[in-house]
Amino acid sequence: DDAAKMGTGVLKGPVPTRKKYRSVTRDPQTGNLTLNLLEKISPISKRIDPRNLFPDPACGDNIHNGSYLFERDYLSRKKVEELGDQPKYLRSQLDKVLFEGPKWAGGELPGDQDKRDTNSKDLFEVWYFYGALPPDDMEAMGCPCRDDKGQKSQKPVQAVVTMINDCPVKAVRNHLDVGEFPYDVMCWQQVSGRWAGIGVSRQIRTPQRVINAAARNLMDNAGLTSGPQILVKLGV
């Protein structure tokens, strides 16, 4: 749908997510029912609004040729508070974000991107960074970067950093071993040198103008011929 309308469709995955499952078991001796709550980490794929994807400008026509990538998202206060229950998130940083309140990069509020029924002022702007970071920066955010012998890595680490209000709240290693970005881009029609394409509306812009002009001319002629035609011959 995004590819047809805007020219570019983005699918993110596989990414790990925490899922909650419920099951009911019956005790064979007493017959009592017990509700069991299970949590499991599962890989998922999901659609990303292409207007919220910001790859490296030097990537050309393939986002995987770039050195880094940013994804933008919006979370409510409740969702930000729930992040503290998940591992790897820095509770002190989340408390700082909640105390500051929602802020946006460049002071811009989110537009009408799937937020028509939501008060944008109550949303926190979240950024996910994919790229290489120095090991010291990773360890400062609670992500150890050491080998089996306990030696600190000297090479940049392919990381995934979550930021809210320009404040890093989580840093982990990229779950893809090769360090690629977990995004796939579909272009309706490819544009040379650009990672984003053009959609149906852009493709038919010229013939649409022709159809509009022909329909307008047809209506003008119909209006003129619907009334009486008066002819005047001079000199009679």
Side-chain angles (χ1 to χ4, degrees), residues 109-210:
L109 298 179
D112 60 347
Q113 306 173 19
D114 303 330
K115 300 291 184 296
R116 297 179 180 86
D117 299 329
T118 306
N119 189 351
S120 300
K121 295 182 179 180
D122 296 333
L123 294 175
F124 288 84
E125 188 179 53
V126 185
W127 291 89
Y128 302 100
F129 167 81
Y130 291 81
L133 287 180
D136 293 337
D137 293 345
M138 292 292 291
E139 293 199 347
M141 288 184 284
C143 182
C145 300
R146 300 179 181 272
D147 55 20
D148 298 336
K149 298 181 180 179
Q151 299 294 328
K152 182 186 295 186
S153 175
Q154 301 300 323
K155 298 181 179 179
V157 180
Q158 293 296 329
V160 182
V161 180
T162 303
M163 295 176 290
I164 306 177
N165 289 0
D166 294 335
C167 180
V169 297
K170 179 183 177 182
V172 295
R173 288 176 174 267
N174 194 329
H175 59 278
L176 297 178
D177 297 336
V178 292
E180 291 185 353
F181 309 137
Y183 298 89
D184 290 309
V185 176
M186 172 191 172
C187 294
W188 186 268
Q189 179 176 332
Q190 188 73 36
V191 178
S192 178
R194 291 179 52 190
W195 69 273
I198 62 175
V200 176
S201 60
R202 180 61 182 87
Q203 276 185 313
I204 65 172
R205 177 182 295 180
T206 300
Q208 183 66 56
R209 289 179 176 176
V210 175

Side-chain angles (χ1 to χ4, degrees), residues 72-84:
R72 179 176 57 190
D73 195 8
Y74 300 98
L75 293 178
S76 64
R77 176 175 291 272
K78 177 183 177 182
K79 291 298 182 180
V80 174
E81 293 175 351
E82 292 177 354
L83 295 178

